[in-house]
Amino acid sequence: MIETCDSPGLLPIQSAITTMLKQVTAVLDSEQIELENAFGRVLAVDVVSNINVPPHDNSAMDGYAMRCEDLIDNNQLQLVGTALAGAPFKHKVLPGQCIRIMTGAVIPQGADSVVMQENTETKDGFVMFKQIPEFGNSVRKAGEDIQQGKVVVTKGTKLTPAYLALMASVGMAEISVIRNIKVGLIATGDELMPLGQPLAYGAIYESNRYALTALLKTFPVVVFDFGIVKDNKDDLKAVFEQAGSHCDLVLSCGGVSVGDADYVKEILDELGSINFWKVAIKPGKPFAFGQLRGQSNGQLSNACFCGLPGNPVSSYVTFEQLVSPILQKLSGQTYLPTPHFVAKAACLIDKRPGRADYQRGIFYRDEQGELLVKPNGKQGSGIMSSIAHANCYMVLEQDAEDVQQGEAVNIQPF
Ligand code: AMP
Ligand code: MG
């Protein structure tokens, strides 16, 4: 039995995440795309290499390649040719011989080691070696990075720049990835004004969508921006219905705190199902999670719905801590909690037990090289500069009390 706002107490953040993840089904549809467009996408199948990387033993240095044992009682070998990257030496290197070799050039038959040119001298068609190499010196072995037939990158991996290079190195021109997740974004509130107009009395500029859109760009998504919707049941219902029909995930911000929540609740009850939670997280206690049933191409679709609190810091933090796991699961990734690091409190950090607190902080090293962290100014849920000028969250556990100067603090760098 999970705790909701109807139950006494608050829902611990980890229970909220576990409950949501159980209700979210990963998107399985995949598409074939060119590797050059695959940055940030999620691999739909394991990628297996058809080749060894590197394909051949090759030189790690500019120098001379020879048979190592030829230099045991002798430091001079006859120079018989050159191997360049892309222009191999096509003959066998015979006993007593060596060749000039450049980085990346194939080690020719007969040779097994390379001595870098700084440790040699050439004279009259001979090379003098000032260093006796070990067997295999400065040789990069075929398949030392990737072996033919092995899985290079596993299904469910979000593709980083390094993964792209890895797949290019095995010749994958096209790959199969999960289709982009369709996310609908809605800001609600009568006071919200679009940019580009003078502010009316009592109004504020709508700002959450700018942060949320940018945060969403770090996931494999397409964003459908439904703009600002007034606190009015008919307008909201129409937009929720449309978003539910088109999207895998619908995010709204605003209108989920007590009092306001009624419209969102009424509408979601009509269009799907909804839980209003008081999550034990600060900032961001009110949070709604549910399903929106929409009509898509004549078929009933089921979109996840997350109602974020409207306060700018709350919407930002709840996106990062609560929505991000959902997006990972929807897009076929394995949910990986963000790693924490430990720093020392540079001063007293105020904390009341009851909710996990994601205070915005600045971490730095002092003159002794010790990692310290301090709160970044005022921590109110409307104070967006607390995030903008910070470089980490100070994650203070639900039951924790004030942190004294010098005590350990978990931090999550941005
Ligand atoms: P609500 O969650 O609708 O009660 O809103 C809480 C606070 O956040 C109020 O001060 C709103 O004006 C503000 N707010 C709500 N939505 C936004 C938004 N999209 N951009 C900036 N501030 C907002
Ligand atoms: Mg509101």
Side-chain angles (χ1 to χ4, degrees):
M1 172 72 189
I2 57 152
E3 292 175 89
T4 68
C5 61
D6 303 314
S7 343
L10 300 169
L11 180 62
I13 178 166
Q14 207 44 56
S15 314
I17 293 172
T18 310
T19 306
M20 291 191 291
L21 288 179
K22 272 191 206 141
Q23 294 183 35
V24 171
T25 319
V27 168
L28 297 175
D29 310 337
S30 60
E31 58 183 345
Q32 197 76 6
I33 62 168
E34 288 179 9
L35 188 64
E36 64 193 55
N37 299 322
F39 176 55
R41 300 297 295 271
V42 175
L43 209 54
V45 290
D46 287 350
V47 167
V48 175
S49 178
N50 294 321
I51 58 169
N52 280 322
V53 178
H56 308 281
D57 290 3
N58 68 88
S59 179
M61 292 282 177
D62 292 343
Y64 295 89
M66 85 304 298
R67 187 183 282 94
C68 170
E69 64 176 37
D70 286 1
L71 288 174
I72 292 174
D73 315 305
N74 171 36
N75 71 348
Q76 184 170 313
L77 298 171
Q78 187 193 4
L79 183 60
V80 294
T82 302
L84 305 174
F89 178 72
K90 297 207 174 98
H91 313 282
K92 190 169 176 179
V93 176
L94 300 174
Q97 296 183 340
C98 67
I99 61 156
R100 172 124 176 87
I101 195 162
M102 307 308 275
T103 306
V106 174
I107 304 291
Q109 245 198 317
D112 54 39
S113 309
V114 171
V115 171
M116 64 180 197
Q117 64 193 24
E118 290 82 341
N119 291 335
T120 63
E121 264 169 37
T122 45
K123 201 177 169 201
D124 303 331
F126 281 82
V127 182
M128 326 284 212
F129 290 85
K130 294 185 253 175
Q131 178 208 10
I132 306 302
E134 283 177 18
F135 181 84
N137 192 62
S138 295
V139 173
R140 305 190 287 214
K141 298 299 287 177
E144 72 175 17
D145 187 3
I146 298 164
Q147 286 129 51
Q148 188 174 10
K150 288 272 166 68
V151 173
V152 186
V153 191
T154 50
K155 165 186 171 175
T157 301
K158 186 173 168 187
L159 299 175
T160 58
Y163 280 124
L164 298 186
L166 205 60
M167 288 191 290
S169 74
V170 303
M172 286 286 158
E174 288 193 346
I175 54 168
S176 173
V177 294
I178 302 294
R179 72 154 167 79
N180 278 321
I181 305 305
K182 293 178 258 181
V183 182
L185 191 53
I186 304 163
T188 69
D190 286 340
E191 76 282 28
L192 304 178
M193 279 188 75
L195 305 185
Q197 300 179 16
L199 263 190
Y201 181 63
I204 58 168
Y205 287 123
E206 194 286 312
S207 58
N208 292 353
R209 267 181 319 141
Y210 292 87
L212 293 172
T213 304
L215 288 168
L216 280 165
K217 282 186 181 159
T218 63
F219 293 88
V221 300
V222 218
V223 178
F224 294 86
D225 189 344
F226 291 91
I228 301 170
V229 183
K230 294 277 176 207
D231 288 319
N232 149 331
K233 189 176 167 187
D234 292 339
D235 289 2
L236 267 177
K237 187 172 175 183
V239 173
F240 279 0
E241 228 166 348
Q242 210 194 342
S245 303
H246 288 93
C247 300
D248 303 300
L249 172 66
V250 176
L251 294 180
S252 73
C253 65
V256 289
S257 40
V258 185
D260 266 339
D262 296 353
Y263 285 137
V264 176
K265 179 166 171 48
E266 266 179 51
I267 295 167
L268 265 288
D269 279 342
E270 288 169 27
L271 296 180
S273 60
I274 187 81
N275 275 307
F276 279 84
W277 288 337
K278 283 184 180 157
V279 181
I281 179 173
K282 188 178 176 194
K285 181 170 67 174
F287 184 82
F289 175 75
Q291 312 285 332
L292 263 172
R293 278 190 299 276
Q295 219 43 57
S296 170
N297 305 323
Q299 289 190 321
L300 216 55
S301 62
N302 231 356
C304 291
F305 172 80
C306 289
L308 311 183
N311 275 309
V313 181
S314 309
S315 76
Y316 197 101
V317 171
T318 49
F319 179 92
E320 293 210 291
Q321 305 300 331
L322 299 172
V323 179
S324 152
I326 298 179
L327 278 167
Q328 288 182 39
K329 173 135 188 216
L330 271 175
S331 60
Q333 294 169 255
T334 327
Y335 162 56
L336 289 175
T338 316
H340 290 179
F341 299 89
V342 178
K344 219 180 205 189
C347 57
L348 173 78
I349 304 171
D350 293 328
K351 163 75 170 71
R352 267 185 290 168
R355 291 194 266 163
D357 202 343
Y358 288 78
Q359 292 194 25
R360 282 70 64 206
I362 294 180
F363 71 92
Y364 58 97
R365 286 202 186 273
D366 66 7
E367 279 154 14
Q368 286 72 47
E370 187 155 44
L371 198 61
L372 296 180
V373 67
K374 61 180 182 191
N376 177 37
K378 288 189 193 143
Q379 296 285 328
S381 58
I383 300 181
M384 201 56 201
S385 34
S386 73
I387 296 191
H389 303 315
N391 63 8
C392 70
Y393 288 118
M394 305 189 296
V395 184
L396 311 176
E397 298 302 322
Q398 187 172 337
D399 298 328
E401 303 186 350
D402 286 352
V403 180
Q404 305 300 324
Q405 182 178 357
E407 285 183 349
V409 183
N410 279 329
I411 62 168
Q412 233 180 51
F414 289 163

